C-alpha cells in the first residue's frame, strides 16, 4: 500500500476553512486527514500527506472564499486553481538528487569492469570507455541491478530495475466566485425578457385579428 499526498493552489484570498466552518459529513470523510497551509505567508496553498492511499482514494479540501464586500481586491470573477497529487515516494530529494525509486542510467558508454557493494548495501558500478577512461556511479541500496561485470552498456542505459510504481499527477481548473443575489437578479431579468416577448406576441395576434 503506497502513501499519497496532495497540494492545492488556490487564488489569493481563498484559504482553508476553520473547524467550525466544516460540515459534519466532510469531517467524517476527512477523518485521519490533516490538511494545513503551506505557510503563514502562503495560506492559499494547502498541502496534505503522506497518508495511506488504500483508505484515502478521495481527498476533500474544505475551502473558504473571500468576501468581495469586505475585500476590495477580490471581485466576482473566474479564478484559476491548480491541484497536484503524488502516489508513492518522491523521485527527487530536496537536494536535487535522485531517490532510490528511480532507474539509474549509465553515465558513459563502455564496459563494466567492476561492481562492488558497500556495508550499507549501495552498489558502485565502474565503467571503462573505449579510451580507457573510468567512471564510477553509486546505485542506492535496495535496487536490483540488471547488469554484471563484463557487460557492455550505452549512455543512459538503465543499470537497475525501475522500482517506481507510483507517480505524480496535476490538474488545472477554474473556480467561479459568484454572489447568489447576482444569479437571482440575472434569472429575474431573463424571466422579464421572456415575459415581454410573450406579451408582444399576444399583442401582435390581437392586432392581426
Amino acid at each position: 500500500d503506497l502513501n499519497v499526498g496532495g497540494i492545492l493552489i488556490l487564488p489569493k484570498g481563498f484559504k482553508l476553512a476553520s473547524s467550525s466552518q466544516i460540515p459534519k459529513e466532510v469531517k467524517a470523510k476527512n477523518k485521519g486527514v490533516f490538511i494545513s497551509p503551506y505557510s503563514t505567508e502562503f495560506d492559499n496553498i494547502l498541502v496534505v500527506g503522506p497518508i495511506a492511499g488504500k483508505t484515502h482514494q478521495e481527498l476533500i479540501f474544505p475551502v473558504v472564499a473571500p468576501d468581495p464586500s469586505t475585500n476590495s481586491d477580490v471581485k466576482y470573477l473566474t479564478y484559476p486553481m491548480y491541484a497536484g497529487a503524488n502516489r508513492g515516494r518522491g523521485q527527487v530529494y530536496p537536494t536535487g538528487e535522485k531517490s532510490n525509486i528511480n532507474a539509474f542510467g549509465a553515465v558513459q558508454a563502455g564496459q563494466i569492469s567492476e561492481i562492488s557493494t558497500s556495508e550499507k548495501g549501495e552498489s558502485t558500478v565502474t565503467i571503462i570507455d573505449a579510451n580507457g577512461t573510468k567512471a564510477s556511479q553509486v546505485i542506492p541500496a535496495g535496487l536490483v541491478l540488471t547488469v554484471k561485470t563484463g557487460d557492455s552498456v550505452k549512455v543512459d542505459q538503465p543499470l537497475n530495475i525501475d522500482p517506481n510504481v507510483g507517480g505524480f499527477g496535476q490538474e488545472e481548473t477554474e473556480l467561479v466566485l459568484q454572489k447568489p443575489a447576482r444569479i437571482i437578479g440575472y434569472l429575474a431579468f431573463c424571466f422579464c425578457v421572456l415575459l415581454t416577448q410573450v406579451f408582444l406576441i399576444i399583442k401582435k395576434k390581437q392586432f392581426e385579428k
Side-chain angles (χ1 to χ4, degrees):
D1 181 26
L2 296 177
N3 287 338
V4 295
I7 180 171
L8 183 66
I9 304 178
L10 298 166
K12 288 187 176 181
F14 291 74
K15 59 183 180 180
L16 181 67
S18 63
S19 179
S20 60
Q21 295 174 308
I22 302 175
K24 292 182 178 179
E25 53 270 20
V26 176
K27 286 183 178 179
K29 290 182 179 180
N30 273 6
K31 188 176 181 180
V33 178
F34 181 72
I35 302 173
S36 62
Y38 179 74
S39 67
T40 54
E41 181 182 0
F42 299 103
D43 58 354
N44 62 311
I45 301 178
L46 308 180
V47 293
V48 59
I51 53 179
K54 189 175 182 179
T55 54
H56 298 96
Q57 297 291 319
E58 182 182 49
L59 295 176
I60 300 176
F61 291 83
V63 174
V64 174
D67 187 357
S69 62
T70 58
N71 189 344
S72 59
D73 295 331
V74 180
K75 309 295 181 184
Y76 291 111
L77 297 172
T78 300
Y79 297 91
M81 182 178 67
Y82 309 93
N86 182 75
R87 181 173 179 266
R89 287 185 52 199
Q91 294 177 281
V92 180
Y93 291 122
T95 57
E97 299 175 346
K98 284 186 176 182
S99 69
N100 63 349
I101 59 166
N102 286 276
F104 288 77
V107 293
Q108 70 177 21
Q111 187 177 46
I112 297 177
S113 62
E114 183 185 2
I115 298 177
S116 60
T117 304
S118 68
E119 294 180 357
K120 295 181 179 180
E122 297 175 335
S123 299
T124 301
V125 180
T126 304
I127 304 172
I128 301 178
D129 66 9
N131 299 321
T133 304
K134 287 187 178 182
S136 298
Q137 61 187 110
V138 177
I139 309 299
L143 298 180
V144 180
L145 296 179
T146 57
V147 294
K148 61 182 181 300
T149 302
D151 287 352
S152 295
V153 294
K154 299 177 181 179
V155 178
D156 294 330
Q157 177 181 329
L159 302 177
N160 64 283
I161 297 174
D162 189 355
N164 184 22
V165 292
F168 179 82
Q170 58 187 19
E171 184 69 30
E172 177 182 352
T173 185
E174 292 181 341
L175 191 65
V176 181
L177 183 61
Q178 190 58 272
K179 186 178 181 180
R182 290 162 62 95
I183 299 177
I184 295 173
Y186 174 74
L187 293 176
F189 172 76
C190 292
F191 177 76
C192 291
V193 172
L194 178 63
L195 198 61
T196 302
Q197 292 294 327
V198 172
F199 283 145
L200 286 174
I201 293 173
I202 295 175
K203 192 67 176 177
K204 182 179 180 181
K205 293 292 184 180
Q206 290 177 346
F207 180 76
E208 289 176 352
K209 289 181 181 181

